[in-house]
Amino acid sequence: MSGRGLARLAPLVLVLAAGLTACGGNDADPPATSSSSPSSSSDGDSVALDVTREGDTFTPNGERVELGVGQTLTLTITADTAGELHVHSTPEQEISYDAGTSEHEITIDRPGVVEVESHEPDTVVLQLEVR
C-alpha cells in the first residue's frame, strides 16, 4: 500500500480506536440507582427509594431505577391514603400500604424491566431496570 493510502486510513483507525475506548467499562460494579431520582440511595447490597402518594399523584412518577438481580429494593412509602402497588415481576408481587409511612422490601430474581404500578389510580410509579 502506498504512503497516500496509509495516510487516508490513519483518521479512520483513530476514530475506531476512540470508539472502542469509549465502550469500555467495569462490569464488576453493581448497578446504581437512577440519577433522575433524588430520593434514592444505594449501598451496594440494597437500594432505598422514597415513594410519596398525595391524592392520585405519585412521586416518583414512572422513573426508571437500576437494580441488580437479587438486590433488595427498600421502598419507604408515605401516603395520605391506603393503597396497593403491583410489582409486575415473575412471580408478581403486591405491596399493600396504609396511610402514613411504611417500609417494604422486594427482590427481583430475573433481569429485565419490571413495572411497579398502582391500579387505583392507574399509574406507573417506577420502572425497575434489573441487570
Side-chain angles (χ1 to χ4, degrees):
M1 184 172 280
S2 71
R4 234 182 191 175
L6 289 175
R8 288 182 181 168
L9 284 178
L12 177 63
V13 170
L14 289 174
V15 168
L16 290 174
L20 290 174
T21 303
C23 292
N26 183 355
D27 291 336
D29 291 337
T33 59
S34 169
S35 61
S36 64
S37 180
S39 59
S40 66
S41 65
S42 174
D43 68 7
D45 293 332
S46 66
V47 174
L49 183 69
D50 294 328
V51 174
T52 303
R53 178 180 181 179
E54 294 177 354
D56 288 347
T57 303
F58 285 89
T59 304
N61 186 2
E63 293 175 25
R64 189 166 282 202
V65 174
E66 293 181 3
L67 189 67
V69 171
Q71 190 175 30
T72 300
L73 173 64
T74 303
L75 295 174
T76 301
I77 301 173
T78 303
D80 59 0
T81 185
E84 187 172 85
L85 296 178
H86 297 262
V87 182
H88 292 280
S89 59
T90 303
E92 288 202 20
Q93 302 175 54
E94 294 179 359
I95 301 170
S96 295
Y97 57 88
D98 293 322
T101 301
S102 57
E103 192 171 282
H104 309 270
E105 291 185 348
I106 61 170
T107 304
I108 310 295
D109 295 328
R110 295 183 185 184
V113 176
V114 175
E115 288 189 339
V116 177
E117 65 180 3
S118 169
H119 288 208
E120 300 255 344
D122 191 19
T123 302
V124 174
V125 178
L126 294 169
Q127 293 181 350
L128 303 176
E129 185 174 341
V130 184
R131 301 195 256 164

